[in-house]
Amino acid sequence: VGQILFEKDVTKSALSYFRAAVADPRSAQVAPGAHELNTKISARQALEQLLDPSRIPNLIKIFEGGWNTEIFKALEQNGFEQADILKAAKEVQLPQGFTSLEGVLYPAQYSFTKETTAKQALEAMVNRFTLQVANLGLSNDPKLKAQELITIASIIQAEGDIKDFSKISQVIRNRLRIGMPLQMDSTVHYVKKVRGSVFLSTQSTLLKSPFNTYRKYGLPPAPIGNPGLDAIKAAINPADGK
């Protein structure tokens, strides 16, 4: 990024931006894609402008816990064709150990030029996921595979507030350990495609779906959304408790 800014006459050197970015953890939140910046500004100003949503054309915001269907709709609203998106979803290469695109489209802000294909857009989200989880130890759990941990993270994201994430993580593990169905409303909401604190009727708990954790024991077959970093960390590091 520093080199690009230097070549475009935004900053005096690539190193100046590098130093500013290393010193400010917000630099990790800079959205991939196009940004509208002033030239001949300081590295600190450049970082502030890169973080300013109003300077990002065609901004797409993927919120934590967003479903793939919601992400696809956001892409459509920004000029991508539905057929191209669905085709790209089948073709995009998944991270090693994953069989589901749901869960690996990282929640962040993105900006894509008109030349960007749907596949390139989805690949940018998958690559962002791979980068964010690279050093978290997703593959180090002796009992749970990487996709299973992301599935847990997606439930954590949908079930509660960030202050409770690690506790929800332990609840899920405890229920798995004793062979109890997870009985998580969020998994049924995912099947029904409804959001919020929706009352779950008895009829809803009887839905025939592998994602219905009232009927099916164990984890759902795939994530129920695309979790953020805090939920992923909680899935890996649950709180102690019964």
Side-chain angles (χ1 to χ4, degrees):
V1 174
Q3 186 63 32
I4 293 170
L5 294 176
F6 170 64
E7 292 171 356
K8 298 295 183 181
D9 198 30
V10 175
T11 57
K12 288 184 178 180
S13 70
L15 184 60
S16 63
Y17 177 79
F18 176 79
R19 287 172 173 164
V22 169
D24 192 331
R26 294 181 303 156
S27 63
Q29 300 169 17
V30 172
H35 295 255
E36 297 172 345
L37 308 181
N38 295 107
T39 55
K40 294 181 171 56
I41 58 177
S42 71
R44 186 175 294 278
Q45 288 174 310
L47 177 57
E48 292 296 338
Q49 291 188 9
L50 285 170
L51 291 167
D52 183 355
S54 68
R55 290 179 172 270
I56 307 176
N58 305 317
L59 181 66
I60 298 175
K61 293 183 179 181
I62 307 302
F63 65 89
E64 295 175 339
W67 302 322
N68 281 7
T69 53
E70 294 170 323
I71 295 172
F72 295 167
K73 186 176 181 180
L75 289 171
E76 273 191 73
Q77 291 170 344
N78 278 268
F80 292 89
E81 295 293 333
Q82 184 185 54
D84 294 337
I85 297 168
L86 296 178
K87 183 173 182 288
K90 296 177 181 178
E91 295 177 348
V92 67
Q93 185 174 351
L94 299 173
Q96 187 174 0
F98 285 81
T99 59
S100 168
L101 184 64
E102 189 89 69
V104 298
L105 298 180
Y106 191 75
Q109 296 186 145
Y110 298 90
S111 173
F112 303 113
T113 62
K114 292 181 179 180
E115 295 76 24
T116 305
T117 66
K119 185 178 180 182
Q120 289 171 332
L122 293 181
E123 284 175 340
M125 298 177 190
V126 174
N127 291 340
R128 187 77 175 264
F129 168 85
T130 302
L131 181 66
Q132 291 290 339
V133 303
N135 299 316
L136 296 183
L138 269 181
S139 302
N140 298 339
D141 194 297
K143 297 180 180 179
L144 296 165
K145 298 177 181 177
Q147 181 167 294
E148 291 175 324
L149 286 168
I150 296 301
T151 299
I152 291 175
S154 69
I155 297 173
I156 293 169
Q157 187 76 65
E159 281 287 333
D161 297 326
I162 187 171
K163 62 181 175 59
D164 299 319
F165 278 0
S166 61
K167 295 177 183 178
I168 298 169
S169 180
Q170 186 59 44
V171 168
I172 293 170
R173 286 175 181 259
N174 287 344
R175 292 183 183 182
L176 289 174
R177 188 182 67 252
I178 65 175
M180 172 186 172
L182 295 184
Q183 298 180 335
M184 297 287 180
D185 289 7
S186 57
T187 62
V188 181
H189 292 163
Y190 176 73
V191 176
K192 299 183 72 175
K193 289 294 181 280
V194 293
R195 285 203 173 277
S197 301
V198 183
F199 172 74
L200 202 63
S201 65
T202 302
Q203 185 179 3
S204 294
T205 66
L206 299 176
L207 281 173
K208 291 184 178 180
S209 168
F211 286 89
N212 181 357
T213 54
Y214 280 87
R215 283 178 61 102
K216 181 184 178 297
Y217 286 76
L219 290 170
I224 62 167
N226 294 278
L229 194 59
D230 290 316
I232 295 173
K233 288 180 178 178
I236 299 170
N237 302 293
D240 292 329
K242 295 181 181 180

